[in-house]
Amino acid sequence: EHTEKQADVYDVSNGSVYVTDLYVTYGGVQYKTNDLGYVIMGTSTENIVNLDSATKLPPVTLKNLDIKMSNSATPINIMGNVDITIDGNCTLRSMMGNAISVKNSYSNNPQPTIKSTETNPLANLLDVQGGIGANAVNTEANTKLTITGVPTNLTAVTGTAVGGDGEFITDSKTYINIAENWYVNDGKDRLLIVFYPMLPLLMRMLN
């Protein structure tokens, strides 16, 4: 589905999605890039998403994306800068590989971000599971992945949740801490006052 006035939509149920600076390859067919970005959705056990840029890609939204690889393939490969938004419940799993990999393919020290939609952040969930001897999130040296404002579950079958020589930052545990204990006046947790209360408040109401 391609228009000039909105983001292009791709369904992994029908093929892997390879987004680059020059074109998008989907199901073996090349499409033009879209400055308004891309929405990637669907369910698959064999197709993946590659976000590949020497500079920075247009924004990408993962909408109810469910990729559970039965082999060593990585569901989401990030090779460059891109802002990713989670819309709905997204599940990324690999049986024997990393679930999310951030690579420094162009030696441009990419710092991609993953965030939640602003309209209803609590309705979104990112469930990431690495495979046997692998990681949920793996970052190469001189890369940094930041996940903010979206509840995130990071696990691995027998590996570790986070691996690699790069940097990984998430506030998911911080928001869970605030939801469970609320804001305090002493100790190191007093500094959590800088985090906005909307997401923890909604988590407390629903739990």
Side-chain angles (χ1 to χ4, degrees):
E1 180 179 343
H2 305 279
T3 70
E4 295 180 356
K5 297 183 179 180
Q6 63 184 13
D8 292 340
V9 179
Y10 296 98
D11 190 332
V12 296
S13 304
N14 300 318
S16 294
V17 183
Y18 299 90
V19 182
T20 72
D21 294 321
L22 302 177
Y23 50 80
V24 178
T25 302
Y26 174 57
V29 179
Q30 285 188 0
Y31 297 93
K32 293 181 179 180
T33 57
N34 186 342
D35 290 340
L36 295 179
Y38 312 96
V39 177
I40 302 175
M41 57 191 297
T43 300
S44 181
T45 58
E46 58 183 5
N47 297 319
I48 64 172
V49 176
N50 272 18
L51 305 175
D52 188 350
S53 174
T55 54
K56 184 174 183 178
L57 292 174
V60 172
T61 296
L62 306 182
K63 185 173 183 179
N64 293 315
L65 182 65
D66 188 337
I67 301 179
K68 300 184 180 77
M69 302 302 296
S70 57
N71 51 32
S72 61
T74 296
I76 302 287
N77 292 284
I78 306 173
M79 295 160 283
N81 290 302
V82 60
D83 295 326
I84 301 171
T85 297
I86 302 300
D87 185 359
N89 293 335
C90 293
T91 301
L92 307 171
R93 297 181 181 177
S94 179
M95 180 62 69
M96 293 176 287
N98 302 316
I100 298 177
S101 290
V102 181
K103 302 177 181 180
N104 196 14
S105 300
Y106 301 97
S107 299
N108 59 345
N109 304 334
Q111 299 186 16
T113 65
I114 299 177
K115 65 177 183 179
S116 180
T117 54
E118 298 178 357
T119 52
N120 189 8
L122 195 62
N124 307 314
L125 176 66
L126 181 59
D127 184 11
V128 186
Q129 184 180 74
I132 299 172
N135 312 118
V137 173
N138 187 275
T139 55
E140 283 189 358
N142 300 315
T143 69
K144 179 172 73 173
L145 174 64
T146 303
I147 301 180
T148 58
V150 53
T152 304
N153 181 37
L154 300 174
T155 59
V157 176
T158 60
T160 58
V162 179
D165 298 320
E167 188 176 358
F168 175 67
I169 299 174
T170 179
D171 59 11
S172 182
K173 291 182 178 180
T174 299
Y175 281 114
I176 293 173
N177 181 25
I178 295 173
E180 292 178 342
N181 304 305
W182 206 234
Y183 298 96
V184 297
N185 297 320
D186 53 12
K188 65 179 182 179
D189 284 351
R190 73 186 188 281
L191 302 176
L192 300 182
I193 193 67
V194 300
F195 288 86
Y196 290 107
M198 182 180 71
L199 181 57
L201 183 60
L202 289 173
M203 294 172 70
R204 287 169 68 96
M205 291 173 61
L206 292 182
N207 291 283

